[in-house]
Amino acid sequence: MAPLLESRGLLAQGWKCHIVCASPSSRHTKKKPPIMESEQPAGYFSTFSILDPNRPNPEGTGKPQKRNRRVYVCIPCHRRKLRCDKGQPCSRCIQADAADECVYQKFPFSSKHESGSGEPGETPQSPARDSPQTTPGPSGSEARPRLHGVTHWSTVASEFREGWPYIAGLDPEWGPRYRHLQSLKYLVAALPVHHFPFGEICHCSESRESALQSLPPRPVVDTLVRCYFEVIHPIYRLLHPAEYEFELQAFWMNVNHFSEEWLAQFFMILALGCQAAPAQVFASTGRRPSSWTDQFLNSSQYFLCRSPFVSTPTLTSARTLCLGVIARIMDIVKGGETSQLASLMGYLGRMAVSLHLNRTSALFPELLPYEVEIRRRLWLTIQLLELQVAMRTGTSCTHQDYDAEPPSNINDTSIYHTGQGWVLEQGAAKSDLALTDGTFQTRLSDLIPILSEITTVVNQTTAQTTLKYDKIQSWDEQLRRKVREAASVLLMAAQSQANYSFRPRIQLEFLRVLVNRSLLALHHHYISAPRFRQFPASSQAVINSSLEILSVHQSWYQPNHGLDYPSSSIALPEGTAHRSTATLLDICRDSFGAAMLYLVTSCRRLSLNVIQLPPTDGRQQHATSQAEIVRLVQTQLEDFRERACCSPSHYDEYISLAVAEGCLRGLMGGSSGGGLTAGLMEVADRIERTVLEGKLWTGGGGGGGEEGAGGGGVEGSTGFTPVTPGGFEGAGGFIFPH
C-alpha cells in the first residue's frame, strides 16, 4: 500500500519547502537540475553529474556521466551535519542515545535499485535481524544495543511480544512504512538543540537591550507569570510567590537593575507560563504562543550564559536550571532528546551538591530561617525532577544520601517582608495532619525516598537479579498507604475550599500518577513472560495502576477542567477552555504512555485467558471488564492523537501507541482483514491522515493559526503548532495566588 502522503500535493510542497529551507548553502550554489519524479526527501543525498541525465545528450558534449555513487545518510546525522556509518541504527545515534530515531528515507526513484538492496543499512532476507520470530525484547544487537531500565518506554513496550517487532519497526514487511512514518516529523521539526539551556540557539545579535525591548506588553507578562504560579508552581515550589511579586514590581520600575541570572530565571518563567496561558492572552501581540515561547527560551539562554553560574552558582541559577529541566520534560524545547535531559539533570544535581542543598541546616547556623526554608523547597524540587528524569530515561537516582530536612508545613503568608528583609514567622509550622500551602511538599518529602529507591533498584535489576517478591509486596503496601494518607489531607482541602479547589486536587492527582508509575515499575519483572503466570497478583496490580493513571489523564484532558480563577482576578468568557491541565499532561506524559502500553499487553493476555482481571470492590470508577479496557485504550489513543501536534516527541509517542493498539486490534480479530501487516497499513494511513488534516503540519502559508493569535496564522510559519482551544479576555491586573 502506497503511503497517502506521496499522492497529496500539500505534503509534496511541504517536502520541497523543507528541503530548500534546510539547505545551509542553497543561496551560494548553482541551481540544480529539476527532478522529474518526486522530490528528494531529507536524509537521502546522491552525487550528480554536471549534465542532466534526464535530458537528451547535447551534441558535442559527449556521453553524460551517470551517478557514480549513492550517499545514504540517516536523517538525524544529516541534520547535525555528522558523518554517518549507515548502520541500522548508526553509531552516532547510538552514542546520542537516540537509536530509535535513526531513520532513513526510502530511495525515491523508481528503477531497478528499488528491488535490489532495500533500505539503507538493511540486508535483504536477513531473518536474524528483522524476523518476527526473533526475541522482541530490548536486549540484543538487533533491537537495542544499549541497556535501559524497566521504566524506559522501550522496555515497557517490549513486553507486548507479538507487537514489539512492529512497534520498533523490526518487521521486514512493515519496516519501510514505519520508517516513512518516523521521517514525517522531520518535515516540521526545528533544528536540534543539543545544549539547552546553555545557549546553543542564542542569536549572535542578541543583547540585553534587545531582549528586554522585545518583551510583550506588561499586562501580558503579568498574566504569563500568574499562569506559571497557578499551574507550574503548585507542583514545583521553587519560588515564594510574594517575594517574586515584590521583585517583579521592582523590575518594572528599573529593568536595568537586575542581574543576568535573575533575567534568565524571569524569561524561563515566561516560557513556561506560555504553556498554561489561553491563546487570547497573545491576541494583542499578533504572535503565536509558540513563537513567544521560542523567544523567551532564547533570551533565557542568553542571560544564563552571561551569568557566572559555572564559577559561582547561586540559588537563582539553580532555579533557572530546574525550570530548564521542566521545559525539557514538557518538550517545549524544539529538537530535544531524552539523553540531553539526563545530562542536564546530572549537571543540576552536582550544582545542588556544590551549594550544599543536600545537607542539614544545622551545619549553617548563619542562615536565616527564611533562607533555610527556601533551600529546603529547592532541594526537594530537585529530588522530584531527578525522580521524573530517572523514570523517563530508565536510569537511577544519583542523590539518595542526604540529611537535609523537609520543607515546613506552613502557609505562604507566614513569610513576609519587613524593613530588614524577608522573615519567617516563628512557630508558624503546623502538624503533618494540618492543611497548609506546604502540605503537598511535606507529603512529597515522605514519598521521595522510597520512590527514588524503587526507581534506582528496578532500573538496575535484570531478569537474573530480580528482587524477592516479599520485598515487592512490602513496597507496594507502603506506597498505597502513603497515598491514602496524603489523600485524606488534600481531599479535605478540595472539599473545604469549594471555590478554589484546583490546587489540592491537582496535587493529589499528580501524587497518584507518580506512585502508580512506580508501582508499574515495581511489578514489571513479575509480569514478564513467563513469570506472569506464577504471580497473578502482579498482573492485577499493573492493570489497577494503569487504570488509575489513565483516570487522571481523562480528568486532566477534559476541556472544561481548568483553573479556578478567583472573582477578583482576570475575567474569563463563559465556556472558555483553558490550557492549564494540558500543561500537566505534558509533565506526566511518559507515565500516561507507559500505562497505555501496559494495558495493551494486559488486554492481549486477557484475550488469551492467561491472566485474570483484578477483583472489583464497588468503589472503582474505571473500567472493570476486558471490553471496557479495550474501549478505554482506543478512547485515550484519540486524546494522544489530538496532542500529537505539540512536538516531535509527542508525535513519536503517538506512532508507538497507535501501532501497539493496531497490533492488539489485529491480534484480537478487530481489523478489516488481510493479516496484521495489512491492518497496520490502515493505522499508517490514519497517522498520515492526521498530518493531512493539519493536526501536525501547519504548512508554510498562514493556515492553521490559533484563535486569538493573529487570525489566520503567522505568515511563513512552519512547524508543530499546539491546538489551543478557547480564549482569554481581559489582560487585567496581576494577582498572585494565596
Side-chain angles (χ1 to χ4, degrees), residues 25-319:
S25 58
S26 58
R27 292 178 294 179
H28 306 287
T29 58
K30 295 182 179 180
K31 186 176 181 181
K32 294 183 178 180
I35 301 175
M36 301 305 294
E37 297 184 28
S38 60
E39 291 288 335
Q40 291 187 34
Y44 174 82
F45 302 91
S46 60
T47 57
F48 289 87
S49 64
I50 297 177
L51 299 179
D52 189 348
N54 294 318
R55 293 184 179 180
N57 184 23
E59 295 182 2
T61 59
K63 186 177 180 179
Q65 295 178 338
K66 295 182 179 179
R67 298 180 185 89
N68 55 1
R69 64 187 178 95
R70 300 181 209 130
V71 182
Y72 294 104
V73 182
C74 76
I75 295 177
C77 285
H78 165 60
R79 292 169 66 236
R80 299 168 187 152
K81 296 180 175 61
L82 299 175
R83 183 183 297 275
C84 181
D85 61 8
K86 310 169 189 63
Q88 187 68 28
C90 71
S91 60
R92 296 279 188 181
C93 291
I94 292 174
Q95 293 174 0
D97 195 25
D100 52 338
E101 298 186 6
C102 185
V103 294
Y104 296 80
Q105 283 296 334
K106 188 176 181 181
F107 186 67
F109 303 105
S110 58
S111 66
K112 62 182 181 180
H113 303 295
E114 289 189 349
S115 59
S117 59
E119 293 300 308
E122 176 182 332
T123 303
Q125 307 296 331
S126 60
R129 186 182 188 100
D130 288 334
S131 173
Q133 284 77 28
T134 309
T135 301
S139 61
S141 59
E142 74 281 357
R144 288 291 185 272
R146 59 192 185 276
L147 180 64
H148 283 310
V150 300
T151 60
H152 193 270
W153 78 269
S154 62
T155 308
V156 177
S158 66
E159 285 304 314
F160 185 21
R161 298 303 175 100
E162 296 163 294
W164 173 250
Y166 303 94
I167 297 173
L170 302 177
D171 180 76
E173 185 178 358
W174 165 248
R177 188 69 184 276
Y178 173 83
R179 286 187 284 276
H180 172 74
L181 294 175
Q182 283 283 321
S183 66
L184 293 184
K185 67 178 180 180
Y186 294 105
L187 283 171
V188 292
L191 292 175
V193 183
H194 294 294
H195 306 299
F196 178 86
F198 302 124
E200 182 188 56
I201 62 173
C202 289
H203 301 295
C204 297
S205 59
E206 187 84 64
S207 66
R208 181 187 179 99
E209 291 73 19
S210 62
L212 294 175
Q213 290 175 359
S214 63
L215 281 170
R218 179 175 177 176
V220 176
V221 172
D222 290 345
T223 302
L224 294 180
V225 175
R226 181 179 182 276
C227 287
Y228 165 83
F229 275 93
E230 289 282 4
V231 179
I232 307 297
H233 177 74
I235 305 299
Y236 306 104
R237 300 188 74 213
L238 292 167
L239 298 156
H240 180 57
E243 181 184 16
Y244 196 79
E245 181 182 14
F246 183 84
E247 292 176 353
L248 192 60
Q249 292 175 353
F251 168 78
W252 291 120
M253 295 176 61
N254 187 357
V255 296
N256 296 318
H257 179 68
F258 287 81
S259 64
E260 278 74 10
E261 57 185 3
W262 189 94
L263 292 172
Q265 174 185 268
F266 170 63
F267 279 100
M268 199 74 77
I269 288 174
L270 295 183
L272 294 175
C274 286
Q275 313 313 304
Q280 287 190 12
V281 169
F282 309 91
S284 62
T285 68
R287 294 173 58 181
R288 299 185 180 190
S290 58
S291 175
W292 282 113
T293 299
D294 293 342
Q295 177 178 316
F296 294 148
L297 291 175
N298 288 345
S299 298
S300 178
Q301 290 185 111
Y302 170 83
F303 288 112
L304 180 64
C305 292
R306 281 151 183 79
S307 68
F309 74 98
V310 175
S311 58
T312 55
T314 63
L315 297 185
T316 301
S317 55
R319 283 193 293 261

Side-chain angles (χ1 to χ4, degrees), residues 447 451 479-480 483 511-519:
L447 281 166
L451 294 178
L479 284 177
R480 296 184 189 277
V483 169
L511 286 180
R512 284 174 172 166
V513 171
L514 204 62
V515 169
N516 282 282
R517 181 71 178 92
S518 294
L519 291 174

Side-chain angles (χ1 to χ4, degrees), residues 195-518:
H195 306 299
F196 178 86
F198 302 124
E200 182 188 56
I201 62 173
C202 289
H203 301 295
C204 297
S205 59
E206 187 84 64
S207 66
R208 181 187 179 99
E209 291 73 19
S210 62
L212 294 175
Q213 290 175 359
S214 63
L215 281 170
R218 179 175 177 176
V220 176
V221 172
D222 290 345
T223 302
L224 294 180
V225 175
R226 181 179 182 276
C227 287
Y228 165 83
F229 275 93
E230 289 282 4
V231 179
I232 307 297
H233 177 74
I235 305 299
Y236 306 104
R237 300 188 74 213
L238 292 167
L239 298 156
H240 180 57
E243 181 184 16
Y244 196 79
E245 181 182 14
F246 183 84
E247 292 176 353
L248 192 60
Q249 292 175 353
F251 168 78
W252 291 120
M253 295 176 61
N254 187 357
V255 296
N256 296 318
H257 179 68
F258 287 81
S259 64
E260 278 74 10
E261 57 185 3
W262 189 94
L263 292 172
Q265 174 185 268
F266 170 63
F267 279 100
M268 199 74 77
I269 288 174
L270 295 183
L272 294 175
C274 286
Q275 313 313 304
Q280 287 190 12
V281 169
F282 309 91
S284 62
T285 68
R287 294 173 58 181
R288 299 185 180 190
S290 58
S291 175
W292 282 113
T293 299
D294 293 342
Q295 177 178 316
F296 294 148
L297 291 175
N298 288 345
S299 298
S300 178
Q301 290 185 111
Y302 170 83
F303 288 112
L304 180 64
C305 292
R306 281 151 183 79
S307 68
F309 74 98
V310 175
S311 58
T312 55
T314 63
L315 297 185
T316 301
S317 55
R319 283 193 293 261
T320 302
L321 291 184
C322 286
L323 296 171
V325 173
I326 297 172
R328 281 284 195 188
I329 290 176
M330 295 171 60
D331 286 310
I332 67 174
V333 181
K334 295 179 179 178
E337 297 177 358
T338 303
S339 60
Q340 301 162 10
L341 175 61
S343 301
L344 175 58
M345 189 65 236
Y347 183 86
L348 172 59
R350 298 309 303 176
M351 176 184 286
V353 171
S354 70
L355 292 171
H356 307 297
L357 298 178
N358 60 326
R359 301 310 309 274
T360 175
S361 58
L363 299 175
F364 310 101
E366 70 279 5
L367 292 177
L368 298 175
Y370 162 73
E371 297 173 324
V372 171
E373 177 65 21
I374 293 300
R375 289 169 61 90
R376 291 173 179 176
R377 294 183 184 183
L378 177 56
W379 171 243
L380 183 64
T381 302
I382 291 174
Q383 288 182 287
L384 173 60
L385 291 173
E386 184 181 49
L387 174 64
Q388 290 183 276
V389 171
M391 286 182 175
R392 174 171 293 193
T393 59
T395 55
S396 304
C397 297
T398 57
H399 298 97
Q400 299 185 62
D401 296 330
Y402 58 91
D403 56 5
E405 298 85 0
S408 303
N409 191 26
I410 61 175
N411 287 308
D412 287 339
T413 54
S414 299
I415 300 177
Y416 52 89
H417 188 263
T418 65
Q420 288 75 33
W422 291 91
V423 297
L424 172 62
E425 180 183 349
Q426 294 183 356
K430 308 295 183 181
S431 67
D432 291 341
L433 298 179
L435 176 65
T436 69
D437 295 328
T439 299
F440 170 74
Q441 278 205 320
T442 58
R443 293 297 173 178
L444 184 63
S445 64
D446 192 31
L447 281 166
I448 283 290
I450 183 175
L451 294 178
S452 299
E453 184 181 3
I454 290 174
T455 302
T456 299
V457 170
V458 298
N459 281 335
Q460 293 178 348
T461 301
T462 64
Q464 292 74 27
T465 60
T466 306
L467 290 171
K468 292 183 178 180
Y469 201 63
D470 291 343
K471 183 64 173 178
I472 300 295
Q473 291 177 314
S474 175
W475 268 338
D476 183 296
E477 181 181 355
Q478 187 177 358
L479 284 177
R480 296 184 189 277
R481 184 182 70 253
K482 289 182 179 296
V483 169
R484 289 194 297 268
E485 293 173 355
S488 64
V489 178
L490 293 174
L491 283 180
M492 180 177 61
Q495 296 170 359
S496 62
Q497 301 179 12
N499 295 329
Y500 194 63
S501 60
F502 171 80
R503 185 180 305 172
R505 184 174 67 251
I506 289 300
Q507 290 171 340
L508 177 58
E509 290 172 340
F510 177 82
L511 286 180
R512 284 174 172 166
V513 171
L514 204 62
V515 169
N516 282 282
R517 181 71 178 92
S518 294

